[in-house]
Amino acid sequence: AYQFFLTTENTLEQSKAMNGLGLIHLAQHEYAKAAAKFETCLKQALKGNHLSMILRGYLNLGIAQSELFLYQEAKRNLQKTAELSIAQQDTTHLAMSYNRLGKVYFDTKQLDSAAYFYAQVEKLGDRLSQWEKTFLYAGKAELALFQKKYAEAIQHGLVSYEVAKEMNAFWDMQRASRILSDAYESQ
């Protein structure tokens, strides 16, 4: 699709196709390849001023960078996603960027910042998708577990697991199960 759309100079479809390729690499844990695709997606989206794809480009690039342990770059791109989301009143991308910022801050042991971003996601309440709920509560469980608050970790982990189970989201169920297992063992 990308090769076809190169012949049409359609930057929107080029960015969509490149984003799709990046998502495939992301799902296969090929993070460097995913990041390269998302950079191209973002370049095409910016060239055509396609806001929806600009948001996706920054978000997905930030996710790939966080998986590559490029935390500063990830924070920068996730923050750009958040800023654009706020300007556009786009709670979907805002929740995704804040959730991932919470995870990046947790991974870099900046626990107060992680808790802040998870609290921001939680404030979105009923505007959250099920995907964002399971990621949020897994993140809160992971944070509580690290802080040795085992009962709280179990409580959040169970919420994450149940939401993931309702959606049949195996990756999310696995993440919640791992956190729950560690929390029960530690308790």
Side-chain angles (χ1 to χ4, degrees):
Y2 179 72
Q3 291 302 318
F4 171 76
F5 286 116
L6 279 177
T7 66
T8 68
E9 296 297 320
N10 185 331
T11 55
L12 176 60
E13 296 303 329
Q14 289 170 10
S15 64
K16 284 181 181 179
M18 197 52 59
N19 185 64
L21 288 169
L23 291 172
I24 291 167
H25 288 299
L26 197 64
Q28 295 175 344
H29 309 285
E30 297 172 337
Y31 302 120
K33 289 179 180 178
K37 300 297 185 200
F38 295 136
E39 285 172 354
T40 303
C41 164
L42 186 55
K43 179 181 171 186
Q44 294 305 102
L46 287 165
K47 182 178 176 182
N49 197 29
H50 306 295
L51 186 59
S52 65
M53 292 311 299
I54 292 170
L55 281 166
R56 289 184 191 133
Y58 280 129
L59 176 72
N60 291 333
L61 180 56
I63 292 170
Q65 289 168 328
S66 71
E67 294 294 339
L68 291 166
F69 312 108
L70 301 171
Y71 295 121
Q72 292 307 318
E73 295 88 340
K75 286 180 199 175
R76 190 169 38 254
N77 285 311
L78 293 168
Q79 193 61 49
K80 284 180 185 177
T81 307
E83 291 165 7
L84 287 170
S85 298
I86 290 168
Q88 296 299 311
Q89 299 180 342
D90 181 338
T91 56
T92 300
H93 285 92
L94 182 62
M96 288 189 284
S97 61
Y98 278 174
N99 249 339
R100 200 60 189 212
L101 279 164
K103 177 70 172 134
V104 168
Y105 279 109
F106 174 80
D107 289 344
T108 58
K109 305 301 183 249
Q110 297 174 347
L111 305 184
D112 288 341
S113 294
Y116 169 81
F117 281 104
Y118 289 138
Q120 295 307 305
V121 175
E122 200 163 28
K123 285 181 183 179
L124 295 172
D126 61 354
R127 293 177 286 172
L128 288 176
S129 71
Q130 296 298 81
W131 292 105
E132 294 314 307
K133 284 180 189 173
T134 190
F135 197 92
L136 166 65
Y137 286 103
K140 289 180 67 154
E142 191 172 50
L143 181 59
L145 176 61
F146 186 83
Q147 296 171 325
K148 301 181 191 290
K149 298 176 182 176
Y150 304 125
E152 186 178 327
I154 291 167
Q155 176 187 355
H156 293 312
L158 287 170
V159 172
S160 178
Y161 182 82
E162 288 304 317
V163 173
K165 187 176 174 186
E166 287 174 22
M167 296 186 313
N168 233 5
F170 295 109
W171 182 89
D172 301 273
M173 284 190 289
Q174 179 273 332
R175 181 179 180 213
S177 295
R178 179 189 47 80
I179 295 166
L180 281 167
S181 176
D182 291 346
Y184 280 122
E185 181 179 359
S186 295
Q187 188 180 47

